[in-house]
Amino acid sequence: MRSLLHAVVLAFCFLGSSYAGAIPTRDCAYNVKESIDIPHGWVKHSAAPADHRIVLKIGLPQPNFHVLEKHLYEVSDPDHERYGQHLSKEEVEELVTPHPESLDLVNEWLSGFGITEDELLRSPAKDWITIKVPVSMAEKMLDTKYHVFQHTASGDYLVRTTSYSLPSNLHDHVDVIQPTTLFGRFQKEKSSIFDVVSVKNTIVQASKSEPAISLSSGVTVDPSCNQTITITCLQQLYNAVGFTPSAKGNTIGITGYLAQIANFQDLQTFFSEQVPAAVNSSFKFVTINGGPNNQSLAEAGDEADLDVEFAFGISHPIPGTFFSTGGSPPFIPDDNTPTDTNEPYTTWLDFILAQPSPPLTISTSYGDDEQTVPKSFAQRVCAGFAQLGARGVTLTFSSGDGGVGDGDPDPATQTCFTNDGKNATKFIPGFPASCPFVTAVGGTNHIPETAVSRFFSGGGFSNYFARPAYQDKVVTEYLAKSLPKGRYAGLFNPNGRAIPDVAAQGDFFRVIIGGEAFLIGGTSASSPTFAGFVALLNDVRLNAKLPPLGFLNPFIYSKGFNGLNDITVGNNAGCGTPGFNTSVGWDPVTGFGTPNFGKLRQLVLTP
C-alpha cells in the first residue's frame, strides 16, 4: 500500500504542481534542471571546499512579464498614444510578481533544508530569492557536485558546477539558480576598456595654424581633436556647444565594479582642465554590497574615472551618481578563508530595482561573451532591464572592443569557439549589450568619424535573443543589401537581436587617473559619452514638461536615427575575418551612428 501511495505521489510530482496540490517537494524525485559541457578554455581543477560560501540567487517565474513587455513598448514608442506614460515602481513589481503557488512550493523546498525566512533576502517583487550557504548545503539542495574550475588562459578560478537538479514539481516554478553554470569572467579586462597610455600633464590646445574641420553635419571641430578627445571636442563634434542643462529632476548614473573607484580629486583636476564651470561640483557615491570607496589617488580606477569624468563632464550640472558594487575576486584554491565568488552584476540590478527614483540615464561599461552566461540567466537579467525601461530609465552599454570576436581586442589571440562541446567556430556576441531592452553603443574615432580602427567596435547578432520588431526593417535591409549573399553563413544568427544601436567616439580620451593624465580607448568611453548626451536630451524634455526618454531604442529606430551622424567607413574585424562593414543607414558596427544633439533636441520634442 505504501509503495502504491509513493507511486501516486511521484506521479503527481511529474504531472506538475498545479495537479499536485500540497504534495511536498521532499517527496518528489530530482530531475536535471540545467546542464552544460565544460566551456571552452576551462578545466576542472579540484573539488570545491565544503565550507566555501556561495550566494545562491533563485529566480522565480514572472507569469505576467509579457504584459510588462507590452507596456514597455507602448510607453517607449513615440508614435503610440501612451508614449512617455512610464509605470511606477509598484506597477512594475505587480507585473513581475510570481504566482503564489511558486512562492509556496519554493518556500516549502527551502524549509525542508532548515532554511528559515530570516535567512532569505527577497526582491521587492519577490521574483528573486537570495541565500548564502556553504557548498556542502548547495550540493544537497541541487543534487550536484561543485568543483573548482580553472581558466587556462588567465589562470583564474571559479567554483561552479556543470549540472544541477531540482525536485520535479519545482521545475515550472524556478527559472534559474546561479551561481551554478555561469562561467563568465567578470573582471577588469572584461570591461570594454582597451588601452591606457600616459601623457604629459598639458592638454592639447586648440590649433591656431590648422583650419577647423567642417563636417557634413554642419558643425566645425578643432583639428586637435584628432589627437586628443576632450569634453570640448565632443561638444563640437556632436553639436552641443553652448548648451547648458537647467531642468530640475534630471539625473545620470554610472555603474562600477571590481573595486573600480571613481576619485573625487581626479574629477576636480579633470574639471579644472576641461569643464571649469564644474569645478567644486561633485557626484553622489553609493556603495552596494560593501563596494569600496577608498579615495586615495593610488586606488583611483581607470574605468571608473573615465566614466564619471566624461559622463558628468558632458552633462554638468545634472546631478550624477556613481554606484560602487562590491564583489569578491576570483576564487583562490589555497585560501584558508574561502569567500563568496558570485559575480556582482545582479547585485547592482537588485539594488537599483528596489530604489524609488533611480537615475534617468545609466551607463555601464562592463560585459562578457554572451555564451559564457547561461541563457536562462541572461534572459532574467534582461527582464530586469525591461523593468527599468518601463519606469523611464535609459540604459546604455558598451558593445565591446573585439569586433565580431570574443571580446579580446587583439585579433591574434581571439578564440571564437562555441561552448557547447563542439568547439565550432562562431562569431561571439557580447552580453548585456545583446539584451533587446538596452541601448548598445559602438565606437568611432577620427574626424570625420569612422568605425574605430585601433581596436574594433563590438557588433553582430545575438544567439539568445530574437531580433526585436523595432529592428526588423533596417536589419533585414542590411542583410539583403550590404552583406554579400552567403558571407559568414553559419558564423552568426541573422535572426538575432542585432548590436550595436548607436555609436560615439571611443579613442584617445584624455582622462585624469590618480592625479596623472592618460589617453584611454574603448567602447568603455563610448557608452558614458552617449549617456551624457541622452541626459542632455532628457533636460530638453523635462524643461518642456515632458517625461524622460526611458527605453531609447523604439525612438531611435522610428525617428531618432534622423538625428544621428551616419558612419559609413570601417569594419569590425574578428575571428580571423574582416567582420561586418559599415553601410549607409544601420550596420552591425556603429548602429545608426553618433549623436547630433542639435537635431536630436528637436526630434525629442516632435510629436
Side-chain angles (χ1 to χ4, degrees), residues 17-243:
S17 59
S18 59
Y19 296 96
I23 298 298
T25 55
R26 63 177 176 271
D27 291 325
C28 293
Y30 270 69
N31 288 327
V32 173
K33 174 66 175 176
E34 188 168 32
S35 181
I36 64 168
D37 293 300
I38 297 176
H40 180 83
W42 291 88
V43 294
K44 188 180 294 185
H45 177 270
S46 59
D51 57 351
H52 174 72
R53 306 288 290 184
I54 290 180
V55 177
L56 285 180
K57 295 187 66 64
I58 305 167
L60 280 63
Q62 303 166 328
N64 291 317
F65 180 77
H66 65 288
V67 180
L68 172 71
E69 188 175 14
K70 181 175 182 292
H71 283 295
L72 171 65
Y73 280 115
E74 289 179 354
V75 302
S76 306
D77 180 357
D79 294 324
H80 198 280
E81 62 182 3
R82 292 186 60 209
Y83 181 55
Q85 297 177 25
H86 301 117
L87 305 186
S88 68
K89 174 177 179 289
E90 292 73 22
E91 288 171 331
V92 167
E93 289 169 357
E94 184 177 354
L95 288 171
V96 298
T97 296
H99 192 280
E101 186 180 21
S102 297
L103 292 167
D104 291 343
L105 283 168
V106 172
N107 289 344
E108 195 271 338
W109 172 61
L110 293 173
S111 66
F113 290 95
I115 298 172
T116 59
E117 181 64 30
D118 60 0
E119 295 176 279
L120 308 179
L121 178 63
R122 298 184 187 272
S123 64
K126 297 183 172 58
D127 55 332
W128 282 101
I129 297 174
T130 304
I131 56 173
K132 190 169 186 176
V133 296
V135 160
S136 56
M137 174 65 78
E139 290 179 336
K140 292 178 182 177
M141 295 172 62
L142 304 178
D143 191 25
T144 190
K145 181 67 178 175
Y146 277 86
H147 287 86
V148 178
F149 290 87
Q150 183 179 26
H151 188 255
T152 53
S154 66
D156 287 347
Y157 295 91
L158 284 177
V159 175
R160 296 292 187 265
T161 181
T162 56
S163 177
Y164 70 94
S165 299
L166 289 172
S168 56
N169 70 331
L170 274 188
H171 278 232
D172 290 338
H173 300 278
V174 173
D175 277 348
V176 61
I177 299 180
Q178 292 294 346
T180 49
T181 57
L182 173 61
F183 278 80
R185 292 176 58 241
F186 196 85
Q187 58 180 4
K188 183 179 176 183
E189 63 262 36
K190 293 303 288 184
S191 73
S192 298
I193 202 163
F194 173 66
D195 204 1
V196 182
V197 179
S198 180
V199 293
K200 293 180 180 179
N201 285 315
T202 54
I203 197 164
V204 175
Q205 298 297 320
S207 174
K208 296 181 180 179
S209 58
E210 296 181 75
I213 304 171
S214 297
L215 302 179
S216 58
S217 59
V219 303
T220 57
V221 183
D222 190 274
S224 65
C225 299
N226 258 320
Q227 299 171 266
T228 304
I229 292 294
T230 64
I231 296 295
T232 298
C233 289
L234 295 170
Q235 291 171 335
Q236 291 176 353
L237 182 61
Y238 297 145
N239 198 13
V241 173
F243 180 83

Side-chain angles (χ1 to χ4, degrees), residues 350-590:
D350 291 344
F351 173 87
I352 203 70
L353 284 170
Q355 303 310 301
S357 301
L360 297 181
T361 309
I362 302 175
S363 172
T364 299
S365 293
Y366 295 77
D368 214 332
D369 302 340
E370 185 183 69
Q371 67 172 355
T372 66
V373 182
K375 185 175 182 179
S376 57
F377 188 66
Q379 289 173 329
R380 282 303 300 263
V381 171
C382 190
F385 299 146
Q387 294 177 52
L388 287 170
R391 291 172 58 183
V393 176
T394 299
L395 299 172
T396 67
F397 280 83
S398 302
S399 70
D401 303 335
V404 295
D406 64 356
D408 186 338
D410 183 355
T413 55
Q414 284 187 350
T415 54
C416 302
F417 301 112
T418 59
N419 276 347
D420 56 6
K422 299 178 182 178
N423 288 338
T425 300
K426 292 276 189 179
F427 290 167
I428 309 295
F431 179 83
S434 65
C435 170
F437 306 128
V438 307
T439 299
V441 187
T444 63
N445 65 359
H446 302 314
I447 301 166
E449 291 183 279
T450 66
V452 73
S453 56
R454 200 159 62 95
F455 58 94
F456 294 95
S457 178
F461 300 81
S462 173
N463 292 311
Y464 285 178
F465 300 100
R467 184 169 65 228
Y470 61 76
Q471 287 192 319
D472 276 342
K473 181 177 184 294
V474 296
V475 173
T476 300
E477 287 179 355
Y478 177 86
L479 294 173
K481 299 178 181 179
S482 301
L483 189 68
K485 187 175 182 180
R487 178 176 288 182
Y488 306 143
L491 293 181
F492 73 98
N493 172 23
N495 299 311
R497 185 278 202 258
I499 54 175
D501 303 296
V502 294
Q505 283 278 317
D507 209 358
F508 304 114
F509 276 55
R510 183 180 173 88
V511 182
I512 304 299
I513 306 168
E516 297 184 35
F518 294 85
L519 294 183
I520 285 182
T523 51
S524 270
S526 306
S527 182
T529 294
F530 197 90
F533 286 96
V534 173
L536 299 186
L537 293 172
N538 273 337
D539 182 85
V540 172
R541 285 185 60 83
L542 293 172
N543 264 319
K545 309 303 180 185
L546 296 171
L549 288 165
F551 175 40
L552 202 57
N553 293 4
F555 165 76
I556 291 172
Y557 284 82
S558 64
K559 60 193 295 187
F561 66 88
N562 291 306
L564 298 173
N565 307 309
D566 195 8
I567 310 302
T568 59
V569 177
N571 60 293
N572 58 354
C575 300
T577 76
F580 297 106
N581 290 321
T582 56
S583 69
V584 174
W586 181 90
D587 57 69
V589 186
T590 59

Side-chain angles (χ1 to χ4, degrees), residues 198-341:
S198 180
V199 293
K200 293 180 180 179
N201 285 315
T202 54
I203 197 164
V204 175
Q205 298 297 320
S207 174
K208 296 181 180 179
S209 58
E210 296 181 75
I213 304 171
S214 297
L215 302 179
S216 58
S217 59
V219 303
T220 57
V221 183
D222 190 274
S224 65
C225 299
N226 258 320
Q227 299 171 266
T228 304
I229 292 294
T230 64
I231 296 295
T232 298
C233 289
L234 295 170
Q235 291 171 335
Q236 291 176 353
L237 182 61
Y238 297 145
N239 198 13
V241 173
F243 180 83
T244 301
S246 60
K248 294 181 179 180
N250 199 0
T251 47
I252 182 172
I254 295 292
T255 63
Y257 303 96
L258 309 175
Q260 280 280 316
I261 301 170
N263 186 272
F264 293 118
Q265 185 175 335
D266 280 342
L267 183 65
Q268 291 305 308
T269 303
F270 178 86
F271 280 165
S272 67
E273 274 196 358
Q274 299 194 30
V275 195
V279 172
N280 295 325
S281 67
S282 190
F283 58 91
K284 183 179 181 182
F285 198 113
V286 175
T287 292
I288 303 169
N289 190 36
N293 185 14
N294 183 341
Q295 285 297 314
S296 164
L297 284 176
E299 297 299 320
D302 47 14
E303 179 75 75
D305 275 355
L306 162 67
D307 291 354
V308 301
E309 288 171 12
F310 275 87
F312 299 164
I314 291 167
S315 61
H316 174 76
I318 297 170
T321 300
F322 178 80
F323 298 97
S324 175
T325 302
S328 297
F331 178 75
I332 303 173
D334 297 328
D335 192 342
N336 291 323
T337 55
T339 56
D340 163 40
T341 60

